[in-house]
Amino acid sequence: MMTPGRKITRSEIEELLPYRHPILMVDEVCSWCADEIVVKRHVDGADPNIDGHLIDGPKIMPGVLLIELVGQAAFLHGRLIGEGNSDPVVLGRCKARFIRPAMAGEYVFATVTKIGIAAGGAVHRGRVTIEGQLAAEIEIVSLRFRSRP
């Protein structure tokens, strides 16, 4: 377990999460403690997930990737506080409310808090902000993935 409160770099994140570009959503851990984690993501217009979305429209981050950001932050938080192992986690249920899009060039911050336990998993609430403005509220139930023998 790492020391709570300190920033976590991209290379440390890659050691803790089973994702890589272009699906790795967490660029940096800004802060974390036993109850919550705050992560940052730069919305890069050259990212294939952004570049291929609404090809004739504005360069925005798909809402489903904001959900993925919250899910990855929740998984990472479990690893940091010693609750999780490296077993993959899958989304069991999701409830999201989107308020504003995340545009290319912006920095997205997700504050994720564990709010409960579910059978075989956990419930987390994420508040996604951009420049201090609320962009999305997301609640997820994550479940440990166990492949069948």
Side-chain angles (χ1 to χ4, degrees):
M1 188 166 82
M2 296 186 178
T3 306
R6 79 172 184 85
K7 289 185 178 184
I8 309 296
T9 65
R10 178 70 177 235
S11 61
E12 291 172 308
I13 291 165
E14 288 180 354
E15 290 177 25
L16 294 166
L17 288 179
Y19 308 106
R20 295 297 176 267
H21 180 79
I23 201 63
L24 177 59
M25 295 292 117
V26 179
D27 290 334
E28 179 183 319
V29 174
C30 301
S31 66
W32 63 282
C33 62
D35 298 329
E36 77 177 21
I37 187 169
V38 180
V39 300
K40 179 168 113 177
R41 167 75 177 181
H42 178 248
V43 181
D44 182 356
D47 182 313
N49 291 310
I50 310 302
D51 189 45
H53 184 241
L54 301 176
I55 48 178
D56 292 328
K59 297 286 185 200
I60 65 172
M61 184 174 186
V64 70
L65 295 182
L66 294 176
I67 295 169
E68 181 67 23
L69 174 64
V70 169
Q72 289 183 19
F75 181 67
L76 182 57
H77 184 250
R79 297 288 314 272
L80 289 170
I81 64 172
E83 282 187 357
N85 56 28
S86 60
D87 289 344
V89 174
V90 296
L91 184 64
R93 179 177 55 86
C94 172
K95 179 170 56 172
R97 181 173 77 102
F98 300 103
I99 294 106
R100 78 177 285 283
M103 307 295 292
E106 293 183 315
Y107 288 91
V108 175
F109 294 85
T111 302
V112 179
T113 308
K114 184 175 179 181
I115 60 171
I117 303 288
V123 182
H124 289 85
R125 179 171 296 136
R127 289 181 47 84
V128 178
T129 59
I130 302 165
E131 297 178 6
Q133 295 180 325
L134 184 62
E137 294 176 312
I138 299 165
E139 186 174 299
I140 62 170
V141 176
S142 56
L143 306 169
R144 291 264 171 228
F145 177 76
R146 292 180 179 87
S147 60
R148 295 179 189 206

